Amino acid sequence: MLLLQRCSRLTRLCSINSYRHPVTPALAPCAAHFSSDTHRGSEFRWSRRWTQAVAGLLAGTGAVLVYALNQHKAEKADAITGQPVDNLSPSSPSSSSSLPIFSQEEVSRHRSLQDGVWVTFKGGVYDITEFVAMHPGGNKIMLAAGGAVEPFWALYAVHNQEHVLEILSEYKVGELRAEDQKKQQSLNQSDPFSSDPERHPVLRINNLKPFNAEPPPEILTESYVTPNLFFFKRNHLPVPRVDPKTYKLQIEIPGPTGERGGGLSLSLDELKNKFPKHTVTATIQCAGNRRSDMHKVKNVKGLNWGIGAIGNATWSGAKLRDVLLAAGYTSDDANWARHVQFEGLDQDVGGTTYGASIPLRKAVSEDGDCLLAYEMNGEELPLDHGFPIRVIVPGTVGARNVKWLGKIIISDVESSSHWQQNDYKGFSPCTDWDTVDYKTAPAIQELPIQSAITVPADGATVDRSDEEVTLKGYAWSGGGREVVRVDVSIDGGKTWKIAQLKSSDKPQDDVVTTAPPGQAWAWKLWELTVPLPADTEEMEVVCKAVDSSYNMQPDSILPIWNLRGVLSNAWHRVKVKIQEEEEEDDDE
Ligand code: MTE
């Protein structure tokens, strides 16, 4: 009977939006029941690969649960908008509840698929054994088994949505004993983000916990170097508080069979004083910059970044190459090693740290200019940007510029981290969540050519009496490829003009080529003043950039659309209204 009830609940979950999930040993009987009676044919296709891909994708980004639940709710809510848990109304215990009361000890006994997986939430007890197999965050859900989900949901704030609670309520089996509830409440009060730093209120917040925010576009082009306070912040986890006095950076070069051992451990003082200080001006751009443009064309999963997930800063620190050489790296290591892995000190509740890797060649090359940075724009590295040390990998996607750096490993393989293996990869527009296989695509490293219009803003109005308008924006390309030209149109792309490029805030520095070939790490700001067109009340401003390899931006988004909304670099367009002058009043 219980099996039948469970199967019917699963049938409901599975049939909505063709939700597909894998068979686990624990659920095999249900699966057999479905395939013989309820769901025949292709509609009910168990796709382990699909779930693994989505699980991996969502686990690390904190989007655990939501994908499945979005499916369940027929795409009703966007994963990035949600109310805090506290504002929601879970099925909290009531004195009239007829459900059995369980002690915490009884709940704790249910920590496995064999014994059942139970969790508690706001005083309710839930048997989520069936849901475990469907959890897009994969096994991470097991971290909460036998205990409260609140600490995990506090970390992955994306759970804070009404429909998540709705699903949870389907699994309710009882109430938690009052005295155990009290104990839990005091434990749950600890917020993993409570030590996050204060941020400037001008930042537009895409997600509060973990903190993800970008500056308003017009601020981006106010200065060539983006002030630290306004630099976009992209955190996957709580900001770790690192004590600079006890901080140690570990460097490991294990050798082809791990025989070498040893490695090097450096304090912050040693990093600052034993190695020459280098300064590099480099732009960092998130792979998801301009995702909102892609989202407008067709739904994508991810934070809805505007054009501000990019910034340009002057970074100072030790050269990564110098530190690797000091740790014993020699050119012979290039015979076995291919990658340099980085581990951050920020971690999730299970102790998993942020990680990424870059090609060894980039890390050890003289002109790769990779830094172990301790300063940003002449100031101590801010907490949000990786204090005390972050790696700066110029020309490379933001995701590889690991903050709060704890460990560096020279290796024959890429980082095994979720963010290297199952996220930050590009796919064809025809790849969807059923067919995506993260193993088939390389991790994004160098980014493609990009540009955007920062002034005027989309939807702005200019006065006809001004007669002309000044358009502004940024342009940048990955891999050290210099931006050589920005074309701007005010008629939707029919005719073009060439914008003036700037590599500094000094007016006399217009149109300068500052970097040696292949080392153009910093963006160019661009500007163009044009007369207001006489024959229209609306201008469509468009920009597109060209880099030193003559790479150009694609004209539209559809052909580059991908399910995660990364690498969004089509021509940028804004619409601007021209306000006509008031007619003279003839009566006067
Ligand atoms: N490093 C750690 N340790 N943890 C992170 O969450 N986010 C990465 C990267 N380095 C991240 C990290 C991503 S995705 C980006 S885009 C950049 O940091 C953002 O850097 P910023 O916050 O300094 O702008």
Side-chain angles (χ1 to χ4, degrees), residues 232-234 236 286 346 354 385 390 398 401 403-404 424:
F232 81 100
K233 300 172 200 323
R234 200 312 175 220
H236 289 271
C286 182
D346 45 339
Y354 184 87
H385 297 288
R390 89 177 292 175
N401 290 250
K403 306 189 273 189
W404 313 291
Y424 298 117

Side-chain angles (χ1 to χ4, degrees), residues 1 24 37 88 112 119 123 196 212 227 233 249 271 286 308 353 362 399 421 538 559:
M1 182 60 196
T24 67
D37 299 329
L88 302 172
S112 67
V119 293
D196 269 23
N212 286 279
K233 300 172 200 323
L249 176 65
L271 269 164
C286 182
T353 52
K362 170 75 180 170
Q421 301 295 332
E538 190 180 71

Side-chain angles (χ1 to χ4, degrees), residues 534-556:
D535 51 351
T536 177
E537 284 174 11
E538 190 180 71
M539 298 186 291
E540 189 182 6
V541 184
V542 189
C543 75
K544 63 180 172 82
V546 183
D547 73 18
S548 53
S549 300
Y550 283 99
N551 293 309
M552 296 174 206
Q553 294 172 251
D555 62 350
S556 57

